[in-house]
Amino acid sequence: MIIKSPKQNHLTENDVTDEQVYHGRRDLLKKLGFTGAMTLLSQSAMAGPFDWFSKDEKPTFKTSELRFKKAPESVRPLTDESVASSYNNFYEFGTSKSDPKENAQSFVVDPWKLEVSGLVETPITLNYEDLFKRFELQERIYRLRCVEAWSMVIPWIGFTLAELLKAAKPLSSAKYVAFETLYSPEQMPGQRSRFTGGGVDYPYVEGLRLDEAMHDLTLMSVGMYGKTLPPQNGAPIRLVVPWKYGFKSIKSVVKIVLTDKEPPTTWNILAPDEYGFYANVNPKVDHPRWSQGRERRILGSGLNTQRRIDTQMFNGYSEVASLYSNMDLRRFY
Ligand SMILES: Nc1nc2c(c(=O)[nH]1)N[C@H]1C(S)=C(S)[C@@H](COP(=O)(O)O)O[C@H]1N2
Ligand SMILES: [Mo]
């Protein structure tokens, strides 16, 4: 049974999936005293004839357990962790879904520097440790809807972007927030050539209107499934905006700049009539090349763990509607 809670009222029976699998495995591991080896075991446990996600390589990147305020137990219909961390879009590490996990394992996340600057009273620089210590970490279980019409349910850990921005004290002239991913061609094969990087002009950039950035749903994530982020999911810190298409949720962020103008965004630069600045999930506004009315919910790695479901307006996060009350969302797609 799924009990709705006011903060995270967006997961329904339709989402019910690998909850038992995730918990069953986790509880079993705990009983066996194997908490730390969870990733390893869950991956070998997933292996099978239909396991088109798994890879044989041994990752060198280590994630570690985080202390955080848990999301309510009742809302835990999750995509399997091994799938969320092996079926990724992170073009800096290659354009196919298995590339990021394969190519990102030696990505250096510590030391790290995240700068908050621009139209603020107090510019801030966070180092690697600050990312986990400066703000209280909380868990948020969100649906992630990719513009490619697949989706997952992922338990993120992080702090609200609002907390970070408030610490920097935005000036009244600030209207937008611009984000930038690390530029490091030595580490990121996709940044070395147009061909391997999907035609993107790096660094990957994204942006939000300030009121979107300040919304309580907008998260700076430093972890998932109880641990620090794997590099393929945007370690050490990435944005998560659950009511927008996944490409807005920029990974491995090094720079956040408050501005008075709408900032350029990577996918809009690449194909302006296919990807807008707003990119709100909207089943009524189709991508020029495919419908956005339905999506493929990916829950596990087996073929019977995927299902086609209706896409919801704002990905089900209807509380953001007031941000767009006077806007034509066909025009501002
Ligand atoms: N820097 C950067 N951020 C990125 C991307 C990318 O290619 N580069 N891909 C985006 C897309 S299209 C999606 S769907 C999500 C995927 O996040 P996940 O791999 O953690 O599920 O990351 C987004 N953030
Ligand atoms: Mo995406």
Side-chain angles (χ1 to χ4, degrees):
M1 186 181 62
I2 303 300
I3 300 155
K4 292 190 172 186
S5 83
K7 259 274 153 68
Q8 312 219 9
N9 58 343
H10 313 293
L11 300 168
T12 68
E13 270 83 351
N14 287 340
D15 301 299
V16 173
T17 63
D18 279 5
E19 177 173 19
Q20 295 85 348
V21 179
Y22 178 67
H23 273 295
R25 190 177 295 144
R26 188 164 225 198
D27 293 346
L28 178 68
L29 282 165
K30 268 204 193 117
K31 274 176 209 143
L32 294 170
F34 272 124
T35 322
M38 195 165 83
T39 309
L40 226 142
L41 192 76
S42 71
Q43 268 170 24
S44 54
M46 293 306 297
F50 299 114
D51 193 9
W52 36 282
F53 293 103
S54 74
K55 280 270 180 298
D56 286 335
E57 89 273 1
K58 289 193 192 75
T60 57
F61 190 93
K62 289 214 171 37
T63 55
S64 52
E65 303 281 337
L66 288 174
R67 301 194 132 272
F68 56 91
K69 192 165 162 253
K70 271 192 166 247
E73 276 301 315
S74 54
V75 287
R76 287 191 158 263
L78 305 174
T79 293
D80 193 274
E81 179 186 2
S82 68
V83 175
S85 60
S86 61
Y87 185 85
N88 301 103
N89 277 332
F90 198 168
Y91 276 24
E92 284 86 337
F93 291 104
T95 55
S96 78
K97 295 289 182 284
S98 56
D99 284 344
K101 185 180 174 193
E102 207 170 302
N103 298 328
Q105 296 308 316
S106 51
F107 185 54
V108 178
V109 301
D110 181 11
W112 194 262
K113 245 169 79 174
L114 170 60
E115 253 181 62
V116 184
S117 61
L119 299 175
V120 295
E121 209 177 299
T122 317
I124 293 179
T125 303
L126 301 180
N127 65 27
Y128 182 77
E129 226 186 53
D130 296 332
L131 301 179
F132 307 96
K133 299 210 162 139
R134 178 123 182 207
F135 305 98
E136 197 197 343
L137 300 182
Q138 48 174 300
E139 184 175 51
R140 296 277 184 99
I141 299 170
Y142 284 159
R143 293 177 291 270
L144 172 83
R145 170 54 157 87
C146 177
V147 76
E148 297 162 342
W150 54 263
S151 63
M152 296 185 184
V153 181
I154 301 179
W156 302 106
I157 296 159
F159 48 85
T160 61
L161 176 58
E163 286 177 85
L164 176 58
L165 296 182
K166 278 182 201 151
K169 301 191 188 117
L171 300 176
S172 60
S173 52
K175 299 285 181 273
Y176 292 91
V177 184
F179 303 84
E180 205 174 295
T181 293
L182 180 72
Y183 183 70
S184 178
E186 325 74 59
Q187 297 192 82
M188 294 169 149
Q191 292 182 338
R192 285 180 220 140
S193 89
R194 290 247 165 196
F195 183 71
T196 53
V200 170
D201 191 9
Y202 293 102
Y204 193 103
V205 288
E206 257 307 332
L208 295 171
R209 224 167 52 192
L210 185 59
D211 58 346
E212 299 177 319
M214 296 297 286
H215 196 281
D216 182 62
L217 285 171
T218 305
L219 201 69
M220 293 305 297
S221 171
V222 297
M224 59 188 227
Y225 298 89
K227 293 167 293 190
T228 53
L229 290 173
Q232 58 271 30
N233 292 91
I237 185 163
R238 58 95 55 90
L239 178 69
V240 180
V241 192
W243 72 92
K244 292 176 179 283
Y245 291 120
F247 65 83
K248 297 295 289 183
S249 293
I250 182 173
K251 295 177 170 180
S252 305
V253 177
V254 291
K255 228 186 205 181
I256 298 178
V257 183
L258 286 89
T259 69
D260 54 1
K261 284 181 209 69
E262 185 182 291
T265 57
T266 286
W267 282 98
N268 179 249
I269 295 167
L270 211 60
D273 29 282
E274 300 192 355
Y275 311 102
F277 173 79
Y278 285 92
N280 293 317
V281 174
N282 189 341
K284 292 190 200 106
V285 177
D286 287 336
H287 187 281
R289 291 183 281 133
W290 60 82
S291 164
Q292 294 292 26
R294 311 254 299 157
E295 67 198 55
R296 178 171 57 100
R297 175 62 52 84
I298 304 174
L299 308 162
S301 60
L303 291 179
N304 59 354
T305 59
Q306 302 192 24
R307 60 192 66 170
R308 300 212 138 262
I309 57 173
D310 288 342
T311 288
Q312 304 173 72
M313 186 65 202
F314 298 122
N315 203 21
Y317 299 96
S318 54
E319 62 263 52
V320 301
S322 59
L323 294 172
Y324 312 104
S325 48
N326 294 316
M327 283 174 66
D328 176 359
L329 294 179
R330 283 182 185 283
R331 179 155 169 242
F332 297 99
Y333 54 90

